[in-house]
Amino acid sequence: MPETAEKTPADFWFDPLCPWAWMTSRWMLEVEKVRPVQVRWHVMSLAVLNEPRMDEVPEEYREFMRNAWGPVRVCIAAEQAHGNDVLGPLYTALGTRAHNGGEKLEREVIVEALEEAGLPAELADAADSDAYDAELRASHKEGIDLVGQDVGTPVIAVPGADGEQIAFFGPVVTPAPKGEAAAQLWDGTLLVASIPGFYEIKRTRTVGPQFD
């Protein structure tokens, strides 16, 4: 595609621990190759999202949510210190380890991801600190305010008919489409965003995420 083509912005909110957000994010990276699109990465938090219902979930899930604070805190700390452009590479480094590699995002693994993304290892300290929680909550709120409360991760916001941001949960897809299939799904996303009053299409998932 011509380098001079104006790129369509796609704002994408992710939690590194969510496998479905990971699948959708890999699709968006493919979209950048086949359409004039620029993904802008943002952090949302499963831990923040689930705070109001923590008393209603099993202990196993509460433990998962407690562990979910660390990776998003590190992502926000990295963004605050080094700018938004570092989020994409850091997310890829974390997600590849967590989802494709099946590793737990504990300190050693987070340090490896930071180093792969060209970031200082000491940013891993943020995992056990609430120093950036205000910024984390603000980033999370920005995405949720666009899409509404009854969703999970990922959240994607694209231009609607009048150029305003229209946000959706998803698309939830596995495996991540490649090539023309990725392009067609993107075109469809823009199409439904252009329809006033369109809200959702959904069916029951019958398979789990299929990582490359």
Side-chain angles (χ1 to χ4, degrees), residues 16 22 71 74-75 78 86-98 103-124:
W22 178 247
V74 171
C75 287
V86 306
L87 276 184
L90 179 56
Y91 180 27
T92 290
L94 289 167
T96 299
R97 287 165 171 78
E103 299 181 71
K104 291 185 177 180
L105 293 184
E106 299 174 343
R107 183 181 177 85
E108 181 179 347
V109 175
I110 289 174
V111 167
E112 290 176 359
L114 286 165
E115 291 175 344
E116 180 181 316
L119 293 165
E122 56 264 27
L123 284 169

Side-chain angles (χ1 to χ4, degrees), residues 66-144:
R66 286 191 287 269
N67 293 333
W69 283 101
V72 290
R73 283 170 165 170
V74 171
C75 287
I76 286 291
E79 181 184 31
Q80 292 293 309
H82 300 279
N84 180 260
D85 288 347
V86 306
L87 276 184
L90 179 56
Y91 180 27
T92 290
L94 289 167
T96 299
R97 287 165 171 78
H99 304 298
N100 298 74
E103 299 181 71
K104 291 185 177 180
L105 293 184
E106 299 174 343
R107 183 181 177 85
E108 181 179 347
V109 175
I110 289 174
V111 167
E112 290 176 359
L114 286 165
E115 291 175 344
E116 180 181 316
L119 293 165
E122 56 264 27
L123 284 169
D125 295 342
D128 299 315
S129 168
D130 62 2
Y132 294 98
D133 282 7
E135 291 83 357
L136 170 61
R137 291 178 183 277
S139 179
H140 177 88
K141 184 176 184 297
E142 182 183 10
I144 289 296

Side-chain angles (χ1 to χ4, degrees), residues 18-27 91-92 95-96 99-100 211:
C18 177
W20 295 107
W22 178 247
M23 300 304 303
T24 309
S25 73
R26 300 310 93 181
W27 162 65
Y91 180 27
T92 290
T96 299
H99 304 298
N100 298 74
F211 308 120

